[in-house]
Amino acid sequence: MNWNNVIQGLIFLTTVVLLAKPLGIYMARVYEGKPAGLNVLLGLVERWIYRLSGIYPETSMSWKGYAMAMMLFNGIGIAVVYALQRLQAYLPLNPMSMPGVAPDLAFNIAVSFATNTNWQSYGGETTLSYLTQMVGLTVQNFVSAATGMAILVALIRGFIQKQAETIGNFWVDLVRTTLYILLPLSMVLAILLVSQGVVQTFKPYEKVTLLQPVKDGNGAEVQEQVLALGPAASQITIKELGTNGGGFFNVNSAHPFENPTPLSNFLEVVAILLIPAALCYTFGYMVKDKRQGWVLLAAMLIIFIPCLWSCIYFEQHGNPLFNSLGINQKATAFQPGGNMEGKEARFGIVNSAIWAVATTAASNGSVNSMHDSYTPLGGLIPMWLIQLGEVVFGGVGSGLYGMIAFVIIAVFIAGLMIGRTPEYLGKKIETYEMKMASLMILIPPALVLAGTAVAVIWPQTKVSIFNPGPHGFSEVLYAFSSAGNNNGSAFGGLSANTPFYNIALGLAMFFARYWLAIPILAIAGSLSRKKIVPVNQGTLPTHTPLFVVFLVMVVLIVGALTFFPALVLGPIVEHFILHHS
Amino acid sequence: MKKSQKAKSSFNLSIIGPAIIDSLKKLDPRHQIKNPVMFVVLVGSILTTGLYFQALSGQGEAPAGFILGISSWLWFTLIFANFAEAMAEGRGKAQAASLRRTRRDTIAKKLSTPSYGSSYEKVSATTLRKGDVVLVEAGDIIPMDGEVIEGVASIDESAITGESAPVIRESGGDRSAVTGGTRVLSDWLLVRISSNPGETFLDHMIAMVEGAKRQKTPNEIALSILLAVFTIVFLLATVTLLPFSVHSVIAAGHGEPVTVTVLVALLVCLIPTTIGGLLPAIGIAGMDRMVQANVVATSGRAVEAAGDVDVLLLDKTGTITLGNRQAVAFIPNQGVNIKSLADAAQLASLSDETPEGRSIVVLAKKKYGIRGRHIHELEAKFIPFTAQTRMSGVDLGDGRQIRKGSSEAIENYIKKLGGSFPEDLKSNIETISKNGGTPLVVAEHKQLLGVVQLKDIVKGGIRERFAELRRMGIKTVMITGDNPLTAAAIAAEAGMDDFLAQATPETKLKLIREMQSGGRLVAMTGDGTNDAPALAQADVAVAMNTGTQAAKEAGNMVDLDSNPTKLIEIVKIGKQLLMTRGSLTTFSVANDVSKYFAIIPAAFIGTYPSLKALNIMHLETPASAVLSAVIFNALIIIFLIPLALRGVPYKPMTANRFLRNNLLVYGAGGIVAPFIGIKLIDMILAALRLV
């Protein structure tokens, strides 16, 4: 037992759970339109935004209207980001004179950021201008997160309302989320991060003289290094808070200018789970039964904690091949021990593993270590968390609405088992809801499996796979799992900036996002129209430990059964080969 | 109930034979396509059969014997599922056949004019049309469903109800409906035919039990969608394994890609064939159980809705209480001797043939030794109850005039004569009402003597049944014409949750609508024409077979036993239907865990030998592992047929406990059972050296 690992893990989880309640209440009040503290300051701004954009905040939309508004807004977002990249050479704030981005990559990036995936097959500091990063990506970081949260709120209204035809106003939900929740939180976090040394500047890249000259591949002496800079703090705060994950720099949160200290690391990794966890509380608060919120949070934690523990365990346990190289993998006061390949010395095993598990449980996708370098089973955990459908915390809004889709499936089966047509929070779950919720367990696996299958047999794409054997397969599987569930993290080891991968992964991200978001809105509309069935003795209680266990089983069994064969051919066989040869 | 006499054992030889033939006939793709899960199995079976013939010609992807083994067990999987459906249908068909026999060769006496004594011609029952009038006499079989327009007769309805005691049918009122196929025992009836051939009650029943007109219920559709989605997911998981395997072979540098035969085997094992195969049988068996409980439902939807009922509306009289009230006490007014009150009450009731009247006579005799006298000796004139006066009584030869009736009626009577209604009487009346009694006020001329307390007798054991319902989450509401005080007391005594007093057809309808708009599902029973609007409004409406045609048409079920507490049975059957589906779904999906551990290592061990670590069941060879999983998958359907036909047992308990129990049995059991089953089959295969 390594007490350092246990204590750090506990501090992290406790912080997330403690913050869930106050932030959850605050967000619920924002969505209910009640005074939440910042109205005095921002109420005027909000009203001006509505007036300038011609929004009538009182008009409530049908689910179709809501979905149209959402798609219109996201469509325009994708177009703008695409255009910014293609034209960045002619636009201001481009001190390093970055050329226009290639069409396939620009498409991939635009979709990636609008869908809250933030898959990056490029290096930010070598591809994008400051303007593209700020006006394109940072803006999408905010509004893609706000889109997810707006859809969730519409779904919650479906449970609250009785025989209503509408589910709220998309524009109002979008504006209120951004203005009252994401912006204030980002500002606080950005200031804290800057205090730790995260950069925030418009200056061009800095050339510095090396203290210790090195030799390059040709044996020539290298005296100088270029340090990439930029307005990083403002982007990476929302990158964590909005479960976006797209790094300002190529190596993401392993970069010292994005994540310089253990404290900045702690703040950032807490920020990853903060809003998804708090939204559970918001849900319970808004449906007027806080236990329902705790139940969902508990279900997420029941999956999360063993995954976290296993990942730390496998990484701390180390790599048997290192022993044969004579590397000491024992944890001591001076070294973290274990499998430190691909991990930052300042984070060690536990903070790398916490991050890896948190970023894949939530559909964040930022990384502070190379998942590719994890032990086979240590790396299986992040991949499997993504494959569960990004419902263990998941993306802001999208994670919880995905989990609610699983709840619908769970109450359906449980309802049948007790001899009652199923209901959740007083709403009958019928054929229509089942149809829509089923898409949740169908679409992401379909995208992941079909994408991977095409990628491994398409002759031209094989050159992208660097590693032989099962590990190379894991890399492709991880890439499609990440895109097909809007996570955005990469295993690495795969050269994904090719037209095939850019377009295939771009499409996977697009469908994974909207083919689920629209059915969720359809469920919201259908639930809104229903009556609320009163609770009685025969009603299946959904706030009991038993239900939590059942829900967890449904999520795990569906996730495990779908991906078990593929995982066997990737990380699982790699593990056996590593330990038995 | 006549269950024992009607119930047939699940496995009856006369049913099994035809069922086997039927299960082969059902292999027709046009039949299989209705069930997407089993259709996938059919395609897999055809594909592997093709591969077998390819292997025979010497270019097989695997040894021909192995492919043949897999292929034949896939065919068996299909046949077993079809067999389950055929068995369920067979049981219904047997019942339908006996129903049909009752109808054969009925000759009807069709009247030229609808009056007794007019001429008739003998025609075949099948030529009768709605509106025709027929004469049925003692010994005749009633040719078609209809309404009695003239006459009174006793009828043997045992063909339909299984109840041998004859029932009375007469024109007008609530006992005017007759059912085709029943037999007149005495007297005669003129019957106006109320349905065309093919639409009669018997036809409905036959169609129902045969499953011919079975439509999928909403819940079944929702479950089918879920099962279809699981099927597609597993289809993807197995289809993509081929490219994954090809890639792995290249990456590992040795081994052969997985064969299509193994992939098909894996697919069939993973898709929910257990529930998919048994789903039609479960639905048909649910209907069958209804019929065995002597209830005919007009749709499967109604049966399913029954499982969800929140509120039960029950008529007080006949359901909760014995039909008649009984006198239990005499309460005299101040200054009146209790004996003279008893005497007056008895005198007023001597000629009153109602149960209440008789009970007064008996009580006076028992308590005060007042013997019943003969009304002629007293030269008395009996004043019968009329709807106008709402009281009855007697005018004696000596000039005494005694009246008894409801308090309002007597109050009016006394006031007309110039008497007054004393206060202490009012308080007595109220006390009686509060305690669930009915006060009957007795007056002699303009003097009030006191009150007779009549009491409803609540049926024995009914309280326990309502407590059971409460545990099932069902609220019971008593419907009565009584005043609110009386109603409240009886409802409390019977242990009901609520009551509707002074009920009229309008207030009943209103109550149902209110409850429904509050999201509740309402069930009720009724027999009278005045119940029809409420029956039509209720979600589950059970009409009594003795009821009027209007009531039967308004309801969505008919209880052939005309037993109002049958609703409880119906609710249980509805719940069982859903539970059986849910439990087998859980079982089916939980089974997949073990099948992965059997098939996946077997499929890829050639490419990655270290995968033998996943063979945790230590199955003999890759071929025996795959075959064992497929055999288990087929056999489990056969093993579960009795459960599908019988239904998962239902006991009232809280939803949470229920879920826990069923999860343990079908969830945890579903994970563990196949590990044992597959290992056993593998051991047998190895012992027989079949692989």
Side-chain angles (χ1 to χ4, degrees), chain B residues 324-327 345-364 382 392 404 440 452 454:
Chain B
N324 23 27
R325 285 178 287 214
Q326 311 231 311
Q346 196 191 43
L347 283 172
S349 308
L350 281 176
S351 284
D352 185 352
E353 282 304 313
T354 63
E356 289 88 350
R358 264 176 287 171
S359 78
I360 292 173
V361 176
V362 171
L363 185 73
F382 180 61
S392 64
K404 67 183 199 317
L440 200 66
V452 180
L454 295 177

PDB file of all heavy atoms in Angstrom, chain B residues 324-327 345-364 382 392 404 440 452 454:
ATOM      1  N   ASN B 324     -76.726  -7.972   1.474  1.00  0.00           N
ATOM      2  CA  ASN B 324     -77.827  -7.391   2.244  1.00  0.00           C
ATOM      3  C   ASN B 324     -77.389  -6.869   3.605  1.00  0.00           C
ATOM      4  O   ASN B 324     -76.471  -7.383   4.224  1.00  0.00           O
ATOM      5  CB  ASN B 324     -78.923  -8.420   2.421  1.00  0.00           C
ATOM      6  CG  ASN B 324     -78.352  -9.810   2.282  1.00  0.00           C
ATOM      7  OD1 ASN B 324     -77.171  -9.986   2.563  1.00  0.00           O
ATOM      8  ND2 ASN B 324     -79.135 -10.764   1.868  1.00  0.00           N
ATOM      9  N   ARG B 325     -78.091  -5.860   4.027  1.00  0.00           N
ATOM     10  CA  ARG B 325     -77.832  -5.284   5.348  1.00  0.00           C
ATOM     11  C   ARG B 325     -78.679  -6.005   6.379  1.00  0.00           C
ATOM     12  O   ARG B 325     -79.750  -6.505   6.077  1.00  0.00           O
ATOM     13  CB  ARG B 325     -78.172  -3.801   5.326  1.00  0.00           C
ATOM     14  CG  ARG B 325     -77.144  -3.007   4.597  1.00  0.00           C
ATOM     15  CD  ARG B 325     -77.524  -1.574   4.558  1.00  0.00           C
ATOM     16  NE  ARG B 325     -78.627  -1.378   3.628  1.00  0.00           N
ATOM     17  CZ  ARG B 325     -78.753  -0.278   2.892  1.00  0.00           C
ATOM     18  NH1 ARG B 325     -77.886   0.701   3.014  1.00  0.00           N
ATOM     19  NH2 ARG B 325     -79.763  -0.134   2.079  1.00  0.00           N
ATOM     20  N   GLN B 326     -78.215  -6.002   7.588  1.00  0.00           N
ATOM     21  CA  GLN B 326     -78.939  -6.696   8.644  1.00  0.00           C
ATOM     22  C   GLN B 326     -79.169  -5.762   9.817  1.00  0.00           C
ATOM     23  O   GLN B 326     -78.320  -4.935  10.136  1.00  0.00           O
ATOM     24  CB  GLN B 326     -78.100  -7.875   9.132  1.00  0.00           C
ATOM     25  CG  GLN B 326     -77.598  -8.722   7.985  1.00  0.00           C
ATOM     26  CD  GLN B 326     -77.893 -10.173   8.170  1.00  0.00           C
ATOM     27  OE1 GLN B 326     -77.624 -10.731   9.222  1.00  0.00           O
ATOM     28  NE2 GLN B 326     -78.479 -10.772   7.168  1.00  0.00           N
ATOM     29  N   ALA B 327     -80.339  -5.943  10.448  1.00  0.00           N
ATOM     30  CA  ALA B 327     -80.637  -5.154  11.642  1.00  0.00           C
ATOM     31  C   ALA B 327     -79.788  -5.677  12.788  1.00  0.00           C
ATOM     32  O   ALA B 327     -79.690  -6.891  12.989  1.00  0.00           O
ATOM     33  CB  ALA B 327     -82.105  -5.279  11.988  1.00  0.00           C
ATOM     34  N   ALA B 345     -91.392  -2.068  15.055  1.00  0.00           N
ATOM     35  CA  ALA B 345     -90.529  -2.325  13.900  1.00  0.00           C
ATOM     36  C   ALA B 345     -90.840  -3.684  13.294  1.00  0.00           C
ATOM     37  O   ALA B 345     -90.884  -3.857  12.077  1.00  0.00           O
ATOM     38  CB  ALA B 345     -89.059  -2.268  14.326  1.00  0.00           C
ATOM     39  N   GLN B 346     -91.098  -4.653  14.191  1.00  0.00           N
ATOM     40  CA  GLN B 346     -91.402  -5.993  13.675  1.00  0.00           C
ATOM     41  C   GLN B 346     -92.719  -5.999  12.916  1.00  0.00           C
ATOM     42  O   GLN B 346     -92.816  -6.575  11.828  1.00  0.00           O
ATOM     43  CB  GLN B 346     -91.452  -6.991  14.827  1.00  0.00           C
ATOM     44  CG  GLN B 346     -91.375  -8.424  14.319  1.00  0.00           C
ATOM     45  CD  GLN B 346     -91.687  -9.427  15.388  1.00  0.00           C
ATOM     46  OE1 GLN B 346     -92.632  -9.224  16.150  1.00  0.00           O
ATOM     47  NE2 GLN B 346     -90.898 -10.485  15.448  1.00  0.00           N
ATOM     48  N   LEU B 347     -93.721  -5.307  13.510  1.00  0.00           N
ATOM     49  CA  LEU B 347     -95.019  -5.237  12.846  1.00  0.00           C
ATOM     50  C   LEU B 347     -94.877  -4.633  11.451  1.00  0.00           C
ATOM     51  O   LEU B 347     -95.448  -5.143  10.478  1.00  0.00           O
ATOM     52  CB  LEU B 347     -95.992  -4.393  13.674  1.00  0.00           C
ATOM     53  CG  LEU B 347     -96.575  -5.104  14.898  1.00  0.00           C
ATOM     54  CD1 LEU B 347     -97.357  -4.106  15.746  1.00  0.00           C
ATOM     55  CD2 LEU B 347     -97.479  -6.250  14.451  1.00  0.00           C
ATOM     56  N   ALA B 348     -94.092  -3.565  11.377  1.00  0.00           N
ATOM     57  CA  ALA B 348     -93.937  -2.870  10.093  1.00  0.00           C
ATOM     58  C   ALA B 348     -93.202  -3.735   9.087  1.00  0.00           C
ATOM     59  O   ALA B 348     -93.261  -3.495   7.884  1.00  0.00           O
ATOM     60  CB  ALA B 348     -93.190  -1.553  10.305  1.00  0.00           C
ATOM     61  N   SER B 349     -92.475  -4.754   9.574  1.00  0.00           N
ATOM     62  CA  SER B 349     -91.650  -5.554   8.668  1.00  0.00           C
ATOM     63  C   SER B 349     -92.225  -6.923   8.373  1.00  0.00           C
ATOM     64  O   SER B 349     -91.632  -7.679   7.609  1.00  0.00           O
ATOM     65  CB  SER B 349     -90.248  -5.734   9.274  1.00  0.00           C
ATOM     66  OG  SER B 349     -89.713  -4.490   9.625  1.00  0.00           O
ATOM     67  N   LEU B 350     -93.348  -7.249   8.965  1.00  0.00           N
ATOM     68  CA  LEU B 350     -93.863  -8.612   8.829  1.00  0.00           C
ATOM     69  C   LEU B 350     -94.048  -9.021   7.377  1.00  0.00           C
ATOM     70  O   LEU B 350     -93.738 -10.150   7.002  1.00  0.00           O
ATOM     71  CB  LEU B 350     -95.201  -8.738   9.570  1.00  0.00           C
ATOM     72  CG  LEU B 350     -95.046  -8.904  11.089  1.00  0.00           C
ATOM     73  CD1 LEU B 350     -96.413  -8.915  11.762  1.00  0.00           C
ATOM     74  CD2 LEU B 350     -94.269 -10.162  11.417  1.00  0.00           C
ATOM     75  N   SER B 351     -94.521  -8.085   6.600  1.00  0.00           N
ATOM     76  CA  SER B 351     -94.749  -8.440   5.198  1.00  0.00           C
ATOM     77  C   SER B 351     -93.638  -7.943   4.285  1.00  0.00           C
ATOM     78  O   SER B 351     -93.744  -8.038   3.078  1.00  0.00           O
ATOM     79  CB  SER B 351     -96.075  -7.852   4.716  1.00  0.00           C
ATOM     80  OG  SER B 351     -97.112  -8.616   5.237  1.00  0.00           O
ATOM     81  N   ASP B 352     -92.618  -7.433   4.899  1.00  0.00           N
ATOM     82  CA  ASP B 352     -91.510  -6.900   4.103  1.00  0.00           C
ATOM     83  C   ASP B 352     -90.563  -8.051   3.775  1.00  0.00           C
ATOM     84  O   ASP B 352     -89.900  -8.596   4.646  1.00  0.00           O
ATOM     85  CB  ASP B 352     -90.794  -5.819   4.921  1.00  0.00           C
ATOM     86  CG  ASP B 352     -89.714  -5.140   4.127  1.00  0.00           C
ATOM     87  OD1 ASP B 352     -89.418  -5.612   3.008  1.00  0.00           O
ATOM     88  OD2 ASP B 352     -89.168  -4.134   4.613  1.00  0.00           O
ATOM     89  N   GLU B 353     -90.555  -8.431   2.497  1.00  0.00           N
ATOM     90  CA  GLU B 353     -89.778  -9.609   2.120  1.00  0.00           C
ATOM     91  C   GLU B 353     -88.310  -9.292   1.822  1.00  0.00           C
ATOM     92  O   GLU B 353     -87.554 -10.156   1.442  1.00  0.00           O
ATOM     93  CB  GLU B 353     -90.419 -10.300   0.909  1.00  0.00           C
ATOM     94  CG  GLU B 353     -91.643 -11.129   1.267  1.00  0.00           C
ATOM     95  CD  GLU B 353     -91.363 -12.186   2.323  1.00  0.00           C
ATOM     96  OE1 GLU B 353     -90.347 -12.916   2.185  1.00  0.00           O
ATOM     97  OE2 GLU B 353     -92.130 -12.278   3.301  1.00  0.00           O
ATOM     98  N   THR B 354     -87.919  -8.036   1.955  1.00  0.00           N
ATOM     99  CA  THR B 354     -86.510  -7.711   1.697  1.00  0.00           C
ATOM    100  C   THR B 354     -85.659  -8.308   2.812  1.00  0.00           C
ATOM    101  O   THR B 354     -86.146  -8.538   3.921  1.00  0.00           O
ATOM    102  CB  THR B 354     -86.277  -6.183   1.660  1.00  0.00           C
ATOM    103  OG1 THR B 354     -86.597  -5.657   2.951  1.00  0.00           O
ATOM    104  CG2 THR B 354     -87.129  -5.505   0.617  1.00  0.00           C
ATOM    105  N   PRO B 355     -84.399  -8.563   2.541  1.00  0.00           N
ATOM    106  CA  PRO B 355     -83.517  -9.121   3.573  1.00  0.00           C
ATOM    107  C   PRO B 355     -83.467  -8.242   4.818  1.00  0.00           C
ATOM    108  O   PRO B 355     -83.422  -8.742   5.939  1.00  0.00           O
ATOM    109  CB  PRO B 355     -82.154  -9.169   2.898  1.00  0.00           C
ATOM    110  CG  PRO B 355     -82.433  -9.158   1.436  1.00  0.00           C
ATOM    111  CD  PRO B 355     -83.708  -8.414   1.253  1.00  0.00           C
ATOM    112  N   GLU B 356     -83.491  -6.916   4.614  1.00  0.00           N
ATOM    113  CA  GLU B 356     -83.459  -6.006   5.757  1.00  0.00           C
ATOM    114  C   GLU B 356     -84.694  -6.240   6.623  1.00  0.00           C
ATOM    115  O   GLU B 356     -84.611  -6.354   7.842  1.00  0.00           O
ATOM    116  CB  GLU B 356     -83.440  -4.537   5.302  1.00  0.00           C
ATOM    117  CG  GLU B 356     -82.140  -4.087   4.664  1.00  0.00           C
ATOM    118  CD  GLU B 356     -82.104  -4.344   3.172  1.00  0.00           C
ATOM    119  OE1 GLU B 356     -83.011  -5.034   2.657  1.00  0.00           O
ATOM    120  OE2 GLU B 356     -81.159  -3.869   2.525  1.00  0.00           O
ATOM    121  N   GLY B 357     -85.876  -6.289   5.950  1.00  0.00           N
ATOM    122  CA  GLY B 357     -87.118  -6.473   6.673  1.00  0.00           C
ATOM    123  C   GLY B 357     -87.109  -7.771   7.470  1.00  0.00           C
ATOM    124  O   GLY B 357     -87.429  -7.803   8.660  1.00  0.00           O
ATOM    125  N   ARG B 358     -86.658  -8.807   6.822  1.00  0.00           N
ATOM    126  CA  ARG B 358     -86.639 -10.094   7.514  1.00  0.00           C
ATOM    127  C   ARG B 358     -85.693 -10.062   8.708  1.00  0.00           C
ATOM    128  O   ARG B 358     -85.965 -10.635   9.754  1.00  0.00           O
ATOM    129  CB  ARG B 358     -86.237 -11.211   6.548  1.00  0.00           C
ATOM    130  CG  ARG B 358     -87.461 -11.923   5.978  1.00  0.00           C
ATOM    131  CD  ARG B 358     -87.063 -12.945   4.972  1.00  0.00           C
ATOM    132  NE  ARG B 358     -86.626 -12.283   3.741  1.00  0.00           N
ATOM    133  CZ  ARG B 358     -86.047 -12.919   2.737  1.00  0.00           C
ATOM    134  NH1 ARG B 358     -85.814 -14.206   2.827  1.00  0.00           N
ATOM    135  NH2 ARG B 358     -85.713 -12.276   1.649  1.00  0.00           N
ATOM    136  N   SER B 359     -84.572  -9.357   8.543  1.00  0.00           N
ATOM    137  CA  SER B 359     -83.611  -9.336   9.641  1.00  0.00           C
ATOM    138  C   SER B 359     -84.162  -8.582  10.840  1.00  0.00           C
ATOM    139  O   SER B 359     -83.828  -8.882  11.984  1.00  0.00           O
ATOM    140  CB  SER B 359     -82.293  -8.717   9.176  1.00  0.00           C
ATOM    141  OG  SER B 359     -82.396  -7.318   9.115  1.00  0.00           O
ATOM    142  N   ILE B 360     -85.083  -7.609  10.600  1.00  0.00           N
ATOM    143  CA  ILE B 360     -85.693  -6.896  11.719  1.00  0.00           C
ATOM    144  C   ILE B 360     -86.589  -7.839  12.509  1.00  0.00           C
ATOM    145  O   ILE B 360     -86.550  -7.907  13.743  1.00  0.00           O
ATOM    146  CB  ILE B 360     -86.494  -5.672  11.214  1.00  0.00           C
ATOM    147  CG1 ILE B 360     -85.537  -4.622  10.644  1.00  0.00           C
ATOM    148  CG2 ILE B 360     -87.345  -5.070  12.331  1.00  0.00           C
ATOM    149  CD1 ILE B 360     -86.204  -3.449   9.974  1.00  0.00           C
ATOM    150  N   VAL B 361     -87.370  -8.617  11.777  1.00  0.00           N
ATOM    151  CA  VAL B 361     -88.261  -9.586  12.428  1.00  0.00           C
ATOM    152  C   VAL B 361     -87.444 -10.539  13.292  1.00  0.00           C
ATOM    153  O   VAL B 361     -87.776 -10.798  14.453  1.00  0.00           O
ATOM    154  CB  VAL B 361     -89.079 -10.360  11.370  1.00  0.00           C
ATOM    155  CG1 VAL B 361     -89.928 -11.431  12.020  1.00  0.00           C
ATOM    156  CG2 VAL B 361     -89.946  -9.388  10.557  1.00  0.00           C
ATOM    157  N   VAL B 362     -86.366 -11.028  12.700  1.00  0.00           N
ATOM    158  CA  VAL B 362     -85.541 -11.990  13.410  1.00  0.00           C
ATOM    159  C   VAL B 362     -84.920 -11.368  14.652  1.00  0.00           C
ATOM    160  O   VAL B 362     -84.903 -11.967  15.743  1.00  0.00           O
ATOM    161  CB  VAL B 362     -84.456 -12.541  12.464  1.00  0.00           C
ATOM    162  CG1 VAL B 362     -83.447 -13.387  13.224  1.00  0.00           C
ATOM    163  CG2 VAL B 362     -85.092 -13.338  11.341  1.00  0.00           C
ATOM    164  N   LEU B 363     -84.421 -10.135  14.505  1.00  0.00           N
ATOM    165  CA  LEU B 363     -83.752  -9.484  15.639  1.00  0.00           C
ATOM    166  C   LEU B 363     -84.735  -9.269  16.796  1.00  0.00           C
ATOM    167  O   LEU B 363     -84.403  -9.499  17.959  1.00  0.00           O
ATOM    168  CB  LEU B 363     -83.145  -8.149  15.196  1.00  0.00           C
ATOM    169  CG  LEU B 363     -82.330  -7.436  16.268  1.00  0.00           C
ATOM    170  CD1 LEU B 363     -81.001  -8.162  16.492  1.00  0.00           C
ATOM    171  CD2 LEU B 363     -82.066  -5.987  15.894  1.00  0.00           C
ATOM    172  N   ALA B 364     -85.956  -8.799  16.464  1.00  0.00           N
ATOM    173  CA  ALA B 364     -86.954  -8.543  17.515  1.00  0.00           C
ATOM    174  C   ALA B 364     -87.287  -9.831  18.256  1.00  0.00           C
ATOM    175  O   ALA B 364     -87.443  -9.845  19.486  1.00  0.00           O
ATOM    176  CB  ALA B 364     -88.202  -7.934  16.889  1.00  0.00           C
ATOM    177  N   PHE B 382    -100.461  -4.033   4.474  1.00  0.00           N
ATOM    178  CA  PHE B 382     -99.046  -3.714   4.285  1.00  0.00           C
ATOM    179  C   PHE B 382     -98.883  -2.550   3.305  1.00  0.00           C
ATOM    180  O   PHE B 382     -99.516  -2.502   2.256  1.00  0.00           O
ATOM    181  CB  PHE B 382     -98.317  -4.954   3.760  1.00  0.00           C
ATOM    182  CG  PHE B 382     -96.857  -4.730   3.527  1.00  0.00           C
ATOM    183  CD1 PHE B 382     -96.028  -4.373   4.605  1.00  0.00           C
ATOM    184  CD2 PHE B 382     -96.306  -4.866   2.264  1.00  0.00           C
ATOM    185  CE1 PHE B 382     -94.690  -4.161   4.397  1.00  0.00           C
ATOM    186  CE2 PHE B 382     -94.964  -4.642   2.061  1.00  0.00           C
ATOM    187  CZ  PHE B 382     -94.134  -4.294   3.137  1.00  0.00           C
ATOM    188  N   SER B 392     -91.816   2.164   4.015  1.00  0.00           N
ATOM    189  CA  SER B 392     -92.825   1.116   3.979  1.00  0.00           C
ATOM    190  C   SER B 392     -93.425   1.016   5.369  1.00  0.00           C
ATOM    191  O   SER B 392     -92.959   1.674   6.301  1.00  0.00           O
ATOM    192  CB  SER B 392     -92.185  -0.202   3.554  1.00  0.00           C
ATOM    193  OG  SER B 392     -91.241  -0.609   4.519  1.00  0.00           O
ATOM    194  N   LYS B 404     -91.709   2.845   8.528  1.00  0.00           N
ATOM    195  CA  LYS B 404     -90.250   2.854   8.705  1.00  0.00           C
ATOM    196  C   LYS B 404     -89.617   3.298   7.379  1.00  0.00           C
ATOM    197  O   LYS B 404     -90.158   3.024   6.302  1.00  0.00           O
ATOM    198  CB  LYS B 404     -89.746   1.477   9.118  1.00  0.00           C
ATOM    199  CG  LYS B 404     -89.891   0.378   8.068  1.00  0.00           C
ATOM    200  CD  LYS B 404     -89.415  -0.930   8.656  1.00  0.00           C
ATOM    201  CE  LYS B 404     -89.058  -2.029   7.682  1.00  0.00           C
ATOM    202  NZ  LYS B 404     -89.813  -2.343   6.558  1.00  0.00           N
ATOM    203  N   LEU B 440     -82.692   3.262  10.209  1.00  0.00           N
ATOM    204  CA  LEU B 440     -84.051   3.124   9.683  1.00  0.00           C
ATOM    205  C   LEU B 440     -84.961   3.677  10.779  1.00  0.00           C
ATOM    206  O   LEU B 440     -85.014   3.123  11.877  1.00  0.00           O
ATOM    207  CB  LEU B 440     -84.312   1.635   9.429  1.00  0.00           C
ATOM    208  CG  LEU B 440     -85.438   1.291   8.478  1.00  0.00           C
ATOM    209  CD1 LEU B 440     -85.088   1.771   7.066  1.00  0.00           C
ATOM    210  CD2 LEU B 440     -85.653  -0.208   8.475  1.00  0.00           C
ATOM    211  N   VAL B 452     -83.880   1.845  13.974  1.00  0.00           N
ATOM    212  CA  VAL B 452     -83.321   0.502  13.853  1.00  0.00           C
ATOM    213  C   VAL B 452     -81.962   0.659  13.166  1.00  0.00           C
ATOM    214  O   VAL B 452     -81.850   1.333  12.143  1.00  0.00           O
ATOM    215  CB  VAL B 452     -84.222  -0.400  12.998  1.00  0.00           C
ATOM    216  CG1 VAL B 452     -83.604  -1.792  12.897  1.00  0.00           C
ATOM    217  CG2 VAL B 452     -85.611  -0.453  13.568  1.00  0.00           C
ATOM    218  N   LEU B 454     -79.269  -0.695  10.926  1.00  0.00           N
ATOM    219  CA  LEU B 454     -78.962  -1.741   9.943  1.00  0.00           C
ATOM    220  C   LEU B 454     -77.476  -1.671   9.663  1.00  0.00           C
ATOM    221  O   LEU B 454     -76.881  -0.590   9.633  1.00  0.00           O
ATOM    222  CB  LEU B 454     -79.725  -1.486   8.647  1.00  0.00           C
ATOM    223  CG  LEU B 454     -81.239  -1.557   8.704  1.00  0.00           C
ATOM    224  CD1 LEU B 454     -81.808  -1.191   7.340  1.00  0.00           C
ATOM    225  CD2 LEU B 454     -81.702  -2.938   9.111  1.00  0.00           C
TER     226      LEU B 454
END
